[in-house]
Amino acid sequence: MVLSLFVYTFSAIILYLLGRNIALRETRYMATYHKASPFWSSEMILIIILFAFISGARYQVGQDHLTYLTNYLDMQKQGWTTRETFESGFTFLMKFFTNLDLHFFFFFAFLGCIQIFFFYYAFKKEKYLYPYLGLIIMLTPLFLTWMNGIRQTIVCCMFVFLVQFIKERKILQYFIGILIAATIHKSAYLLLPLYFIFWKDFYFKNKYFNILTVVFCTILGASPTWSHLIQNTQSLFALLGYDYYKENIDTIMEDTREMSWGPVRILLYLTNLCIIWYYPKVRERFSHHKMLDLYFTLFFIGTSLYNLLVETGIIFTRPLMYFTMFTYVMMAYTLYALSTYRTKKNFIFFFCISFLYVYLMLAKLYTTNVQFSTSYYKFYFLEDSIY
């Protein structure tokens, strides 16, 4: 537990400080040259290197990590894996690293590079968010989300970048990006029709209505009647790349049917409600921002549907990851907006609930067996038994 606290906290602080330096340089650059500073800088390179190291050096962090590790080692030893459902792009990456006979550290580090690059590059014109993005990645569920379901979370990070092309009505760039992403995870095809849904400006304006909607979805989602959805949607799993969840549906439903309302889930739920509550202030602060309403709309849809479907199983919430990813985007905008107001009470409150997740999670897991936990951070080179 001590190692986990150190890794998560130390990484968050370093990412925050590096992001703060970039943000300060951007301010000076705009004042002097009246244009944005370059994306690439020594700080950005260090951000990517640090995150790549944390991603590559981990062991059994994220529920799917050992599965991917086994497939990588099989590919390295015999030139093929027992799993035949990997998409062509992901298989190519795996073969590229195994053909060079590189340690699995470099493979997972490279995947981490892809994730953090697209997530930061999406906001290259809003570098004032970088300090908060660093904190959000390491002190919210985002890091463990990225480490679990690696293929789909890579596509999620790509989507955060590609969504700008919807707003700019650049259909060719958007479709090419999604088709490339689909070579990493098939579920990316679900994102193609979103271009035609969200290319017009709209968002849900009334914060009271929005909060009531989330609450209503939460209550309705707790009803057992939603379980019948399983029978009507199983045939979609293979098409969307969720074969594993289809094959293990009974186990998954057993584990995820009842989500306990402990401190961790309450904290995340409260964070979502606060984002909705503060959004009018945030929107006022970013009155000329072209993307904010779209970010909020995607976040709101994701939050509503997640609470509607969370107790029916991970097989339903996994596709929603493309929407819920924008929770962390809105969290960054909310933190920055609240920090600019004279009254800082709201900022302090939102800051605290945003970044207590890791510590509450570790406290909750304190009584569990660290050896089998996928949330505790472990270095592969400190493990007694390694492949």
Side-chain angles (χ1 to χ4, degrees):
M1 180 176 178
V2 174
L3 177 62
S4 299
L5 286 172
F6 173 79
V7 171
Y8 292 136
T9 304
F10 178 77
S11 301
I13 293 173
I14 297 301
L15 291 178
Y16 170 82
L17 293 175
L18 292 172
R20 185 171 177 270
N21 284 347
I22 295 175
L24 292 174
R25 181 186 297 110
E26 177 80 348
T27 301
R28 295 193 299 267
Y29 214 85
M30 290 294 292
T32 305
Y33 302 105
H34 306 289
K35 62 178 182 179
S37 60
F39 171 76
W40 290 108
S41 63
S42 58
E43 291 90 350
M44 181 53 62
I45 293 173
L46 288 173
I47 286 173
I48 294 176
I49 290 176
L50 174 61
F51 188 79
F53 175 80
I54 297 171
S55 301
R58 78 187 193 276
Y59 180 78
Q60 199 180 352
V61 181
Q63 295 177 3
D64 292 347
H65 181 248
L66 293 187
T67 301
Y68 281 104
L69 177 57
T70 300
N71 280 277
Y72 182 83
L73 295 175
D74 287 344
M75 178 73 75
Q76 198 170 41
K77 294 176 182 177
Q78 58 199 25
W80 53 274
T81 69
T82 55
R83 181 170 178 174
E84 300 178 353
T85 56
F86 283 140
E87 291 78 1
S88 59
F90 188 80
T91 301
F92 170 80
L93 289 176
M94 190 179 294
K95 285 184 176 180
F96 177 80
F97 281 86
T98 55
N99 286 341
L100 293 176
D101 199 26
L102 292 175
H103 191 273
F104 62 79
F105 165 84
F106 296 99
F107 176 65
F108 288 109
F110 180 76
L111 298 182
C113 284
I114 299 176
Q115 291 172 320
I116 199 164
F117 166 75
F118 279 107
F119 197 66
Y120 271 77
Y121 193 68
F123 306 102
K124 62 183 182 297
K125 296 181 181 179
E126 292 88 35
K127 295 185 179 70
Y128 48 80
L129 297 178
Y130 283 0
Y132 297 112
L133 291 181
L135 293 176
I136 287 168
I137 288 171
M138 299 309 304
L139 297 182
T140 70
L142 190 55
F143 175 75
L144 290 175
T145 299
W146 284 4
M147 298 301 103
N148 186 39
I150 302 171
R151 285 150 50 235
Q152 186 177 350
T153 55
I154 288 174
V155 177
C156 284
C157 293
M158 295 176 68
F159 180 55
V160 171
F161 166 72
L162 292 171
V163 74
Q164 65 180 301
F165 296 127
I166 297 178
K167 189 70 173 180
E168 297 171 0
R169 301 184 184 180
K170 296 180 178 179
I171 187 171
L172 183 61
Q173 291 91 326
Y174 180 76
F175 271 51
I176 291 175
I178 295 301
L179 292 177
I180 293 174
T183 68
I184 304 297
H185 199 273
K186 295 176 183 177
S187 64
Y189 289 120
L190 291 171
L191 303 175
L192 290 174
L194 295 186
Y195 181 90
F196 304 101
I197 298 174
F198 295 108
W199 69 278
K200 285 190 175 181
D201 294 331
F202 72 92
Y203 84 100
F204 304 93
K205 297 181 179 180
N206 191 306
K207 68 180 182 181
Y208 299 101
F209 172 80
N210 294 341
I211 289 177
L212 287 175
T213 299
V214 173
V215 173
F216 174 77
C217 288
T218 305
I219 296 173
L220 183 61
S223 171
T225 59
W226 287 99
S227 62
H228 79 276
L229 289 172
I230 296 296
Q231 299 175 356
N232 300 326
T233 57
Q234 287 189 46
S235 60
L236 295 176
F237 297 156
L239 178 63
L240 299 179
Y242 297 114
D243 306 74
Y244 168 81
Y245 303 109
K246 179 181 179 181
E247 295 168 0
N248 297 274
I249 190 171
D250 294 333
T251 302
I252 292 171
M253 289 300 296
E254 182 74 18
D255 293 339
T256 62
R257 183 63 60 92
E258 293 186 4
M259 300 291 291
S260 61
W261 280 92
V264 173
R265 188 180 177 189
I266 291 174
L267 187 68
L268 297 175
Y269 192 74
L270 183 59
T271 301
N272 289 333
L273 294 182
C274 284
I275 291 174
I276 296 172
W277 180 263
Y278 291 132
Y279 185 65
K281 282 189 174 183
V282 176
R283 194 168 187 265
E284 179 183 332
R285 175 63 179 80
F286 297 100
S287 57
H288 301 295
H289 197 290
K290 296 181 179 180
M291 295 293 299
L292 195 61
D293 285 345
L294 178 55
Y295 291 153
F296 178 79
T297 300
L298 293 168
F299 149 75
F300 177 69
I301 292 174
T303 298
S304 300
L305 292 180
Y306 178 84
N307 284 288
L308 184 65
L309 299 173
V310 64
E311 296 193 32
T312 61
I314 193 172
I315 46 180
F316 294 104
T317 57
R318 269 293 178 94
L320 294 179
M321 195 181 295
Y322 294 116
F323 294 92
T324 57
M325 183 66 66
F326 288 90
T327 299
Y328 308 103
V329 173
M330 288 308 306
M331 193 181 295
Y333 278 104
T334 303
L335 284 165
Y336 178 79
L338 294 178
S339 70
T340 62
Y341 287 100
R342 292 183 178 179
T343 303
K344 297 294 178 66
K345 292 181 181 179
N346 290 333
F347 170 77
I348 295 173
F349 172 71
F350 188 70
F351 186 92
C352 290
I353 65 170
S354 296
F355 300 126
L356 281 176
Y357 169 81
V358 165
Y359 305 107
L360 285 177
M361 175 198 67
L362 293 176
K364 181 179 179 180
L365 295 174
Y366 182 70
T367 57
T368 66
N369 192 327
V370 177
Q371 181 181 356
F372 300 105
S373 172
T374 59
S375 298
Y376 282 115
Y377 191 90
K378 298 178 283 292
F379 288 109
Y380 75 86
F381 48 80
L382 296 180
E383 294 298 306
D384 293 332
S385 58
I386 188 69
Y387 292 82

